[in-house]
Amino acid sequence: MEEMKMNVRPTGNRGNWAKKAPAVAELGKKPPQALDLEEAVLGALMLEKDALTTVIDILRPTSFYKEAHQRIFKAILALFDKSEPIDILTVTHELRESGELELAGGAYYVTQLTTRVNSAANIEYHARIITENSIKRDLISISSEVLSSAFEDTTDVFELLDKTEAKLYEVSESNIRKNFDDMRSLMHQAIKELEEKRKQTDGLTGVPSGMTALDRVTSGWQKSDLIILAARPAMGKTAFVLSCLRNAAVDFKKGVAIFSLEMSSLQLVNRLISSEAELDSEKIKKGSLEDYEWAQLNHKISKLTEAPIFIDDTPGLSIRELRTKCRRLKAQYDIQMIIIDYLQLMSGNAEGKGGGNREQEIASISRAMKMLAKELNVPVIALSQLSRAVETRGGDKRPQLSDLRESGSIEQDADMVLFLYRPEYYGITEDEMGNPTAGVGEVIIAKHRNGSLENVQLKFIGKYTKFTNLDSDFGGDGGFNALPNSSFDTETPGAIRLGSRMNDGSNGGGGGFPASGFDEEPPF
């Protein structure tokens, strides 16, 4: 039994196996291991030069149970990194240079490993068995730690639950990696997706925003995309994402999760109620509703009540907590979109605190968000603040990519960067075409990895805290035919404006002219 304790391997961040061995020994069982296969794999790696490329994605030094084998495998990896040949002599030399030859069993032991196998024919199969045993040992270690902590009266059960889930995910993430795909399978998948897209008569291939002009450019928020929505305070970032969230969940029945680090859940719900029922947000806040307004509220929020919307207002949310909660929501409710309001209020993982500056922390958060979008295969929309450079700039104060706060990696990691801009906020009453800017918000697509860059104009209704299509006041069908005597409502910005660069289409929609029988654009 003493021998067993000596051979138990260290696991680095996943706990000290020397401390966990007694718990295993008490059960009278040896930790899962396959020493003969470990010897065979190491021998094969020193016999055939191409063997390492077969197992390098499967094995790590900690996959080996015996400490001497871990050291030998590290020496093999070191030689591989330096593009040097791998054989008995070079591995022995590398171990001697690093001062670990005796700890690895000596030159004779390294030489003896090559007698355990004749070729590397079955090395991948052997490597996977070694990895499976390594995973089992990690699970035993985690279980032992959970068992010990669960018996302690001072243990915070929710903290223990979170730590356990994080460790289990770490084991899964570090051992189960996606392999490459061959062209045949990728082509088959691509054709299948094209056939499905062909059935989409509305041209939407992602989660719809409900803003016709915006969806025309993006085809909806695309799976695995990280979308950054940035603006200065009071531009309506939260109002915009809530409008998109509402449209996706209510109109298209898509499950949406929003993590609000700035506003409480009830504040968000009140905004949604104001927008859905079209009641003044100030009245909602004060509760000063007339009887007919109560009836209007109860009538209009029924769809909102049943919508698959999930709100989390945990303050100071870390990226690990976000990832954990999103995985649960995806597994339980199959959410199709994630919104974070907003990025700068998030914190990095606990172990990273104090290890770097805020810019590095934001960089790690943005990278983790992109990884989350790919892992769950859903669009992730993260709100972000812009620097004060926008305010000090002259002219129309339109934001640009260099205005993103705290980290250039936000721009680098994002698949799309959108800026929200309302000219009337800066006292600009007319645009360059002489049209009034009251009630008009502009979505500037500054980066679009898989599409064009456009400026899309929307209607902003401040008292309802919502964004909608510019032509939403034209009637139920959104067309000019709904207007009495074909006249234009000059008091409604949406009725007299063209969507920026979006009026080329003939099928209508927000920001452009719907098909209405006009041969030419109406004169303004």
Side-chain angles (χ1 to χ4, degrees), residues 209-220:
S209 70
M211 317 292 179
T212 313
L214 184 59
D215 285 337
R216 189 186 304 164
V217 180
T218 64
S219 296

Side-chain angles (χ1 to χ4, degrees), residues 88-340:
I88 299 172
L89 297 178
T90 56
V91 171
T92 303
H93 178 73
E94 180 67 26
L95 287 167
R96 186 179 289 113
E97 287 288 311
S98 62
E100 294 194 332
L101 182 57
E102 295 305 317
L103 294 172
Y108 178 75
Y109 182 73
V110 175
T111 304
Q112 283 293 104
L113 290 174
T114 56
T115 65
R116 301 294 185 181
V117 66
N118 293 322
S119 73
N122 301 317
I123 191 171
E124 183 176 354
Y125 180 72
H126 295 162
R128 293 195 182 280
I129 295 175
I130 293 171
T131 299
E132 288 174 10
N133 281 299
S134 174
I135 294 173
K136 288 179 181 178
R137 294 195 299 271
D138 288 334
L139 293 176
I140 291 170
S141 175
I142 293 169
S143 301
S144 177
E145 187 175 341
V146 172
L147 186 64
S148 176
S149 299
F151 275 107
E152 295 292 335
D153 294 335
T154 57
T155 299
D156 184 327
V157 65
F158 296 105
E159 183 180 353
L160 176 61
L161 188 63
D162 185 63
K163 286 182 178 179
T164 304
E165 189 173 43
K167 288 181 179 179
L168 286 171
Y169 177 74
E170 186 179 351
V171 171
S172 173
E173 186 180 41
S174 60
N175 286 285
I176 302 172
R177 295 254 177 203
K178 185 181 183 297
N179 203 351
F180 63 85
D181 296 308
D182 62 87
M183 195 61 186
R184 180 181 295 276
S185 61
L186 286 173
M187 192 65 73
H188 177 75
Q189 184 178 343
I191 296 299
K192 185 177 179 181
E193 287 188 3
L194 282 174
E195 290 174 349
E196 291 176 355
K197 290 176 182 178
R198 186 181 180 185
K199 299 174 184 176
Q200 298 285 341
T201 55
D202 53 10
L204 294 174
T205 58
V207 178
S209 70
M211 317 292 179
T212 313
L214 184 59
D215 285 337
R216 189 186 304 164
V217 180
T218 64
S219 296
W221 309 120
Q222 298 299 310
K223 293 179 180 180
S224 78
D225 273 7
L226 172 61
I227 301 112
I228 299 294
L229 175 69
R232 288 295 293 155
M235 280 291 169
K237 296 188 297 295
T238 305
F240 176 79
V241 293
L242 284 180
S243 297
C244 294
L245 173 147
R246 180 266 166 209
N247 295 338
V250 175
D251 294 339
F252 296 93
K253 311 301 180 187
K254 304 287 187 181
V256 183
I258 178 168
F259 294 85
S260 176
L261 289 82
E262 187 176 35
M263 300 174 65
S264 70
S265 297
L266 283 177
Q267 287 175 319
L268 287 180
V269 169
N270 283 336
R271 280 200 174 197
L272 286 168
I273 290 173
S274 172
S275 171
E276 186 72 9
E278 296 189 339
L279 295 172
D280 195 317
S281 58
E282 285 298 315
K283 287 189 173 185
I284 297 288
K285 186 187 301 181
K286 297 174 182 177
S288 55
L289 300 177
E290 302 294 337
D291 290 342
Y292 76 90
E293 290 174 323
W294 275 108
Q296 179 178 333
L297 184 151
N298 290 324
H299 173 69
K300 289 197 172 183
I301 66 169
S302 57
K303 289 183 179 178
L304 191 62
T305 304
E306 301 299 324
I309 298 172
F310 307 92
I311 302 176
D312 187 307
D313 61 357
T314 304
L317 190 69
S318 73
I319 191 66
R320 174 173 292 164
E321 291 172 322
L322 173 70
R323 190 171 56 197
T324 300
K325 292 181 177 185
C326 288
R327 286 199 307 268
R328 290 176 186 168
L329 286 168
K330 181 66 176 177
Q332 295 177 14
Y333 303 104
D334 192 27
I335 56 171
Q336 299 296 308
M337 184 166 69
I338 298 167
I339 298 171
I340 296 102

